[in-house]
Amino acid sequence: MFRKAGIAALSAGLLLTAGATGVMAGGPPDWAGPPDWAGGPGGQPGNGNGNQKVENVIYMIPDGFNADYATNYRMYKGEEAVWDEHMKGMFTTYSADSSITDSAAAGTAMATGEKTDNGVIGLDPEGNELETILEASANEGMASGLVATSTITHATPASFASHVEDRNNETAIAQQLLAGEVDVLLGGGKNNFLPESEGGNQETDNLIAQARDQGYELVETQDALLDSKIDIEDGERLLGLFAGDALAPEMHRADTEEPSLAEMTESAIGSLAQDDDGFFLTVEGSQIDWAGHANDAAWAMQDTAAFEAAVEEAIEFAEEDGETLVVVGGDHETGGMTAGAGENPDMNVNPSVLKDVTATGDHMAAELNDDRSNVNEVIETYTDFELSESEAQTIQEADDAALAINTIISDRALIGWTSTNHTAVDIPVYAYGPQADKFTGYLDNTDLPKIMAEALDVELGE
């Protein structure tokens, strides 16, 4: 694969740990049936019961998602999610300096195999640079990509291709993403690539002009993304910046010219798959986490649905390709979501009512007039709920109208929340493809990139 010179390997002193070796399935010749990892006597499709070398990895991160989100989403959808049959294990998420991680420390652990302090990206607690699994893959000639519904410079995507002491330094992160020559970058955050003279956040640098000089094609709308065609083997790259800041929440995306997460994922895979040396792609469903912070159950479920559509694109490609490992795992849980809330004498959960909610709590709160006398009209416009007198009064008198709206909607769905921040609970990991079985059991978030590196046969931390 053509790559410009100057990508330096980073040294982190990371030791690879070997995963359990699977049993090769017997049966007909290779050409006569499914890949050797697809199962054998007693095996299930996608269980990864083989030791076949992986050519591509698609790392799907639903930020803020855990088993309670999965449970509520299954009931919201009315059937199993695409990842349910590929459940493998659980992993811990604590950071180097706290039992509850933030996305920077969690992303760093999931990208490098090393713990760091909250707020830090791509550096260990002493400030030493850590090589990421994406960088290690690129150093072996593989193509690389990052996709997110946040700014592409936000903590989780940034953790795979940048190294900064403060996650909020998104202008420095933008510079490093281009310096690292990530082949496909799709998300929000155009302002972080433009100079202040053009309304951006860079002091003087125009990173979009720099990106064009480096062979990036810039796309800024859904239509432009769907029409884009780049030749990875010829050194062409793709930069999609679809909003000045983050993309719109899923339930408001149709009112914009922004692509869906599934469309970005499909486009990224289509571009990266041209590389004969394989590819490493990270895809983040960023706003599941933001919905958790807001205790907005409808936003959480609808952005989870958007993330599932993206996972379906990844697994469909993996099924056809036969040499692609798809790994799905959140970086932490957000909001302390529960499946069931309140006294609940009927012992029931009813998240399906959230399908009729068409706006986030933040959006509804912004529609309230100064004295909030239109609260009933606003709620009836964006939900099928008729507020009781006490519920309307609660919203009218609340210090935080959005949180009050979200609490009432969550109560209708019998979904509870214990926090407006992250929690320390363990996170499920799902995997499909060759060597997927190596994610089985009780793991730590630092184990995930080590297993991926072993599956790809690349050295991580050299």
Side-chain angles (χ1 to χ4, degrees):
M1 182 187 102
F2 173 86
R3 300 191 67 86
K4 291 189 176 181
I7 302 178
L10 302 171
S11 176
L14 181 66
L15 297 177
L16 294 176
T17 57
T21 302
V23 178
M24 296 291 285
D30 290 343
W31 49 263
D36 61 3
W37 51 261
Q44 297 296 319
N47 275 355
N49 297 317
N51 209 27
Q52 176 185 346
K53 183 179 182 295
V54 174
E55 296 295 327
N56 314 302
V57 168
I58 306 175
Y59 201 174
M60 310 287 296
I61 301 176
D63 198 306
F65 179 96
N66 85 325
D68 276 293
Y69 281 76
T71 301
N72 280 315
Y73 180 68
R74 192 179 307 114
M75 289 185 282
Y76 168 88
K77 185 181 179 183
E79 60 184 358
E80 287 189 350
V82 65
W83 45 71
D84 283 335
E85 66 177 305
H86 306 304
M87 172 74 178
K88 292 294 179 287
M90 302 285 286
F91 60 90
T92 52
T93 65
Y94 62 92
S95 67
D97 64 345
S98 178
S99 57
I100 298 179
T101 189
D102 81 326
S103 290
T108 297
M110 296 172 76
T112 71
E114 293 282 350
K115 298 285 187 183
T116 195
D117 296 340
N118 285 351
V120 177
I121 288 177
L123 305 172
D124 68 16
E126 286 71 47
N128 301 304
E129 288 192 355
L130 299 168
E131 185 180 37
T132 75
I133 180 66
L134 182 148
E135 291 167 337
S137 301
N139 288 335
E140 292 296 322
M142 298 171 64
S144 61
L146 295 172
V147 175
T149 54
S150 62
T151 59
I152 198 62
T153 49
H154 212 260
T156 303
S159 295
F160 287 83
S162 67
H163 312 269
V164 294
E165 293 180 358
D166 183 353
R167 58 178 285 177
N168 296 314
N169 193 355
E170 294 192 45
T171 52
I173 291 167
Q175 294 168 359
Q176 292 186 28
L177 294 182
L178 295 185
E181 298 181 325
V182 181
D183 294 291
V184 175
L185 296 165
L186 302 177
K190 182 180 178 182
N191 291 343
N192 293 322
F193 290 78
L194 288 174
E196 293 176 359
S197 61
E198 296 186 32
N201 299 324
Q202 293 287 335
E203 187 173 346
T204 58
D205 293 337
N206 187 326
L207 299 187
I208 289 178
Q210 177 185 324
R212 287 194 172 105
D213 290 341
Q214 290 181 230
Y216 283 92
E217 176 188 347
L218 175 67
V219 293
E220 299 183 71
T221 66
Q222 178 187 46
D223 289 343
L225 176 68
L226 298 180
D227 291 340
S228 66
K229 289 182 174 60
I230 63 168
D231 187 344
I232 287 281
E233 288 285 350
D234 196 33
E236 297 177 355
R237 302 184 176 93
L238 183 61
L239 175 63
L241 298 173
F242 306 105
D245 194 50
L247 274 61
E250 174 62 26
M251 62 178 73
H252 298 297
R253 194 79 53 79
D255 299 327
T256 73
E257 294 184 285
E258 301 165 3
S260 68
L261 184 60
E263 288 168 336
M264 291 191 289
T265 302
E266 180 182 22
S267 177
I269 292 171
S271 296
L272 297 173
Q274 300 172 43
D275 194 323
D276 293 336
D277 295 315
F279 67 84
F280 188 97
L281 172 64
T282 299
V283 178
E284 184 196 30
S286 317
Q287 298 189 30
I288 300 170
D289 168 68
W290 300 354
H293 281 292
N295 288 183
D296 191 328
W299 185 6
M301 292 299 99
Q302 293 187 40
D303 261 80
T304 299
F307 180 77
E308 183 188 25
V311 175
E312 287 171 342
E313 291 288 345
I315 289 182
E316 180 179 343
F317 173 80
E319 287 174 339
E320 295 175 358
D321 175 70
E323 296 179 324
T324 297
L325 173 64
V326 179
V327 181
V328 181
D331 52 352
H332 52 72
E333 194 274 346
T334 306
M337 177 188 274
T338 66
E343 294 183 4
N344 200 358
D346 295 330
M347 299 179 68
N348 196 17
V349 183
N350 190 25
S352 63
V353 303
L354 302 172
K355 292 180 178 179
D356 295 319
V357 179
T358 59
T360 65
D362 289 336
H363 183 88
M364 286 185 265
E367 295 285 303
L368 297 173
N369 55 27
D370 290 342
D371 63 1
R372 301 182 185 174
S373 60
N374 65 335
V375 62
N376 287 292
E377 291 82 355
V378 169
I379 299 302
E380 289 172 7
T381 297
Y382 296 107
T383 76
D384 66 349
F385 303 149
E386 183 176 335
L387 294 177
S388 68
E389 185 175 336
S390 64
E391 287 173 332
Q393 184 176 358
T394 295
I395 296 171
Q396 289 171 331
E397 297 176 353
D399 292 334
D400 186 336
L403 183 58
I405 290 169
N406 291 336
T407 299
I408 288 168
I409 292 174
S410 293
D411 288 346
R412 298 295 182 101
L414 294 171
I415 290 175
W417 303 91
T418 65
S419 174
T420 55
N421 212 327
H422 302 171
T423 66
V425 298
D426 297 342
I427 303 298
V429 59
Y430 312 84
Y432 174 88
Q435 302 196 44
D437 59 321
K438 292 186 176 178
F439 294 88
T440 300
Y442 184 56
L443 306 170
D444 182 65
N445 56 8
T446 55
D447 292 320
L448 305 186
K450 297 173 186 177
I451 297 171
M452 293 178 198
E454 182 183 22
L456 286 168
D457 194 23
V458 302
E459 296 292 327
L460 178 60
E462 290 297 309

